Amino acid sequence: MGSSQGSALSTNVAEFVEKPSARGEVLFVDCLPTYVKELIAGGAAGAFAKTAIAPLERVKILMQTRTEGFHSQGVFQSLKRLLKHEGILGLYKGNGASVLRIVPYAALHFMTYEQYRCWIINNYPSLGTGPSIDLLAGSAAGGTAVLCTYPLDLARTKLAYQVMDTKASFRNGIHSYHAQPVYNGIKDVFRSVYMEGGILALYRGVGPTLIGILPYAGLKFYVYEELKRHVPEEHQKSIIMRLSCGALAGLFGQTFTYPLDVVRRQMQIQSLQPSNQGGDPRYRGTFQGLTTIIRNQGWRQLFAGLSINYLKIVPSVAIGFTAYDVMKSWLRVPPRQKSKSVSAA
């Protein structure tokens, strides 16, 4: 009964799309190459998901970088503190850079994932089409997207971190941050960082980022697609199902790679800490960063902000995957089962 109703609904939707009034839009969408549709779907999904969790992302960065007044407070108190001193806009500081980064990042991530997946299936048929393909394609796609958009992530972190530059009233007597210039936007960050150390400075922290994103991106796609395979056919297009699978995929992948994210954040803001807040040496690599944090800050610092990351990763990954699937349907991207033949064509 349910399946027949679902089939009838799909037929009605298809008939509606094919109506003459929408024919121009349909023809335009159909004329787009598949990879362009995947870029559009991925970019839109990333922007929507990132904006939805921007306040939690801001607080997480403040906790990861041990910003004065935030590293010992919980999520709710940190949000209240930001609202009190910076207002609603303070919750979204750095979100412009974040969205500017996430649109090309998510677009490249999803599109290259699909392309890498087709390439692996077509060139290495002995590997089959199982979850191992999603793991390999997801990892390669994550690395590609990071290398192309990392400077924007660096700018986002620096803008989100400079809370003490704009508000001196969090705690009396705190002035160590005021000696540092306040960035006035993304272009100002790029100019300052480039003058400080050239192109390489724009990629400070990219080592732990790549080491973390390769397993995280692979695991995220692996878990999401594997969970979807076990969902009954009649529930395959359920929004709740996609949200649930996406949330579990994000939680699983993030738990295993979170310490690398902490190292990356601390490497990104080292130039803003001339005294290194306690005399910690500057990190020259991922492994040194991990060992130094454990020795000087304690192993718990490697998981600072993990609780808030769980709070944000559930809606972020869930919304991202769901929006991507919905956008692919709206843009009439061929079903996954046809990916091999489409690529070959």
Side-chain angles (χ1 to χ4, degrees):
M1 180 73 177
S3 59
S4 61
Q5 290 177 341
S7 176
L9 179 60
S10 300
T11 302
N12 292 335
V13 171
E15 291 176 352
F16 174 78
V17 171
E18 296 296 342
K19 283 185 177 181
S21 61
R23 189 167 296 161
E25 179 184 357
V26 171
L27 289 174
F28 172 74
V29 170
D30 287 343
C31 287
L32 294 175
T34 298
Y35 74 89
V36 173
K37 297 179 183 179
E38 291 164 351
L39 280 171
I40 295 173
F48 188 71
K50 184 61 69 174
T51 301
I53 53 89
L56 294 174
E57 179 71 15
R58 175 91 198 278
V59 172
K60 188 199 76 168
I61 291 176
L62 294 174
M63 293 174 69
Q64 284 183 324
T65 53
R66 296 167 65 84
T67 302
E68 187 68 37
F70 288 91
H71 64 279
S72 61
Q73 294 206 357
V75 175
F76 182 69
Q77 290 300 320
S78 295
L79 289 171
K80 283 182 61 178
R81 180 180 285 265
L82 281 173
L83 277 173
K84 178 180 178 181
H85 294 277
E86 297 185 353
I88 292 293
L89 293 180
L91 298 178
Y92 291 88
K93 181 179 289 184
N95 189 54
S98 184
V99 170
L100 187 62
R101 177 193 72 91
I102 203 64
V103 168
Y105 174 84
L108 285 169
H109 196 176
F110 283 107
M111 186 275 289
T112 54
Y113 161 72
E114 301 285 2
Q115 297 301 312
Y116 283 138
R117 187 178 185 278
C118 288
W119 183 83
I120 294 172
I121 291 174
N122 292 335
N123 291 276
Y124 299 94
S126 59
L127 294 177
T129 59
S132 60
I133 302 300
D134 297 307
L135 184 65
L136 292 173
S139 297
T144 300
V146 163
L147 288 175
C148 292
T149 61
Y150 186 80
L152 290 169
D153 183 56
L154 180 73
R156 184 273 302 265
T157 299
K158 287 181 177 292
L159 289 171
Y161 172 75
Q162 64 178 18
V163 61
M164 287 298 176
D165 290 327
T166 56
K167 290 293 178 179
S169 59
F170 277 111
R171 294 181 64 177
N172 293 330
I174 298 299
H175 54 79
S176 60
Y177 292 89
H178 302 291
Q180 299 300 312
V182 176
Y183 295 119
N184 295 317
I186 299 172
K187 289 177 62 177
D188 190 29
V189 173
F190 286 160
R191 183 178 65 253
S192 299
V193 173
Y194 181 79
M195 291 178 64
E196 172 192 326
I199 293 293
L200 291 179
L202 293 172
Y203 282 86
R204 182 179 293 120
V206 74
T209 302
L210 283 174
I211 294 174
I213 199 64
L214 293 179
Y216 172 65
L219 286 171
K220 187 172 66 174
F221 279 103
Y222 171 88
V223 174
Y224 181 68
E225 295 297 338
E226 183 65 11
L227 288 173
K228 283 173 60 179
R229 287 189 184 97
H230 290 83
V231 174
E233 183 68 27
E234 61 269 21
H235 299 300
Q236 281 290 332
K237 295 185 178 181
S238 167
I239 298 296
I240 298 301
M241 180 279 297
R242 292 172 176 171
L243 286 171
S244 300
C245 292
L248 290 173
L251 286 170
F252 186 81
Q254 188 68 196
T255 300
F256 283 93
T257 61
Y258 191 79
L260 295 168
D261 192 43
V262 175
V263 175
R264 169 173 64 115
R265 296 298 183 194
Q266 294 206 12
M267 290 179 72
Q268 287 177 333
I269 54 89
Q270 280 182 123
S271 62
L272 301 180
Q273 300 174 314
S275 62
N276 265 343
Q277 289 188 332
D280 292 345
R282 292 185 178 270
Y283 311 141
R284 291 188 295 272
T286 304
F287 182 74
Q288 186 203 17
L290 287 169
T291 55
T292 302
I293 290 175
I294 293 174
R295 182 173 63 252
N296 297 345
Q297 302 173 23
W299 67 268
R300 292 179 183 274
Q301 180 60 28
L302 292 177
F303 296 93
L306 181 58
S307 59
I308 190 174
N309 214 48
Y310 282 149
L311 291 178
K312 83 177 188 68
I313 210 68
V314 170
S316 178
V317 178
I319 291 172
F321 272 125
T322 302
Y324 178 65
D325 282 346
V326 171
M327 285 293 295
K328 283 203 304 179
S329 297
W330 184 74
L331 292 169
R332 303 164 68 88
V333 175
R336 173 64 57 80
Q337 292 82 351
K338 300 180 182 179
S339 59
K340 181 175 181 178
S341 58
V342 168
S343 177

